Amino acid sequence: MTMEKPPGLRERKKAKTRAAIQEHALRLFRDQGYAETTVQEIAAAAEVSPATFFRYFATKEDTVVLDRLDPLMIELFRSAPAELGPTDALRAAIRKSMVTLSEDEWELESERQRLVMNAPELRVRMLDQLYAGIDLLAALAAERTGRSPDDFAIRAWAGAVIGVVMATYQEAADSPMQEYLSTIDRAFTHLAAGLPLESS
């Protein structure tokens, strides 16, 4: 597996600015409503110009659909012990990335999830993100297993993972982090077992 080199200072600064803009946007959405908040207000709160805002986010919607934990999860997945299969490697990566969040950052992440579920225009955008997520997960699983990203089993696994994550969205929006981590851990255990369903 080829490891990507760590991001340089410029990339880290850009990531910090992007995260700051997103945090201010989410706080404004929480305090005064998503529809009522303008790009100009977000830029002012983040102390950047509207032009700078648009260098980091093409639209207001992008401040919500961006999951800034994704790069860290990818890094953790790729660095997981080689003996771990894709499911266990991803479960560990999710847990390790989420515990880096402070209580306030988790509250903002929960707010992001609530916005995605409640704003129709954001649900449409999230659908595009989900399809992109299947491609990303398939590529990562292919790296770990030595198979093709187009392998049917690889893509079926990636789609199942997306389904598991979506099934836990409501709890992510409404629960403390540790409760959510317990829920997603149970979901991944179910996935690893082949998603068995017993008849009632």
Side-chain angles (χ1 to χ4, degrees):
M1 183 185 303
T2 301
M3 300 298 294
E4 296 178 359
K5 64 180 182 179
L9 178 61
R10 182 178 181 183
E11 288 74 21
R12 292 198 299 272
K13 285 184 175 179
K14 288 174 66 176
K16 186 175 180 180
T17 300
R18 183 180 294 107
I21 293 172
Q22 184 185 44
E23 287 179 6
H24 284 290
L26 292 173
R27 287 192 177 96
L28 285 170
F29 299 153
R30 179 184 60 195
D31 294 342
Q32 62 188 41
Y34 174 77
E36 292 76 15
T37 301
T38 66
V39 167
Q40 288 72 22
E41 289 173 316
I42 297 169
E47 297 183 341
V48 299
S49 68
T52 297
F53 173 95
F54 286 115
R55 282 202 294 271
Y56 289 92
F57 297 98
T59 66
K60 184 174 74 169
E61 289 87 350
D62 287 334
T63 63
V64 182
V65 298
L66 172 71
D67 188 339
R68 63 178 179 169
L69 286 179
D70 280 352
L72 177 57
M73 287 186 189
I74 293 169
E75 177 185 345
L76 290 168
F77 180 92
R78 285 177 165 157
S79 63
E83 62 269 19
L84 291 183
T87 300
D88 287 334
L90 184 59
R91 173 162 48 183
I94 290 173
R95 173 172 286 277
K96 288 180 180 179
S97 63
M98 286 192 170
V99 297
T100 66
L101 298 176
S102 67
E103 185 175 336
D104 185 54
E105 287 171 331
W106 174 250
E107 175 53 38
L108 287 176
E109 174 61 18
S110 297
E111 178 63 24
R112 190 179 76 84
Q113 306 288 6
R114 285 191 288 270
L115 284 166
V116 168
M117 289 187 293
N118 295 325
E121 63 269 41
L122 293 174
R123 288 200 298 272
V124 171
R125 286 295 309 280
M126 184 54 69
L127 184 61
D128 291 336
Q129 295 289 99
L130 293 176
Y131 281 114
I134 291 175
D135 290 339
L136 172 62
L137 287 169
L140 291 171
E143 288 179 10
R144 180 158 288 266
T145 61
R147 300 169 76 165
S148 167
D150 295 325
D151 185 300
F152 179 77
I154 291 289
R155 292 197 65 80
W157 173 84
V161 168
I162 292 295
V164 163
V165 172
M166 288 300 297
T168 66
Y169 248 49
Q170 185 64 51
E171 186 147 347
D174 297 332
S175 301
M177 184 195 302
Q178 288 304 320
E179 288 185 21
Y180 173 68
L181 287 174
S182 294
T183 295
I184 201 163
D185 194 60
R186 292 198 308 273
F188 270 89
T189 297
H190 203 56
L191 175 63
L195 299 173
L197 295 177
E198 297 178 0
S199 58
S200 56

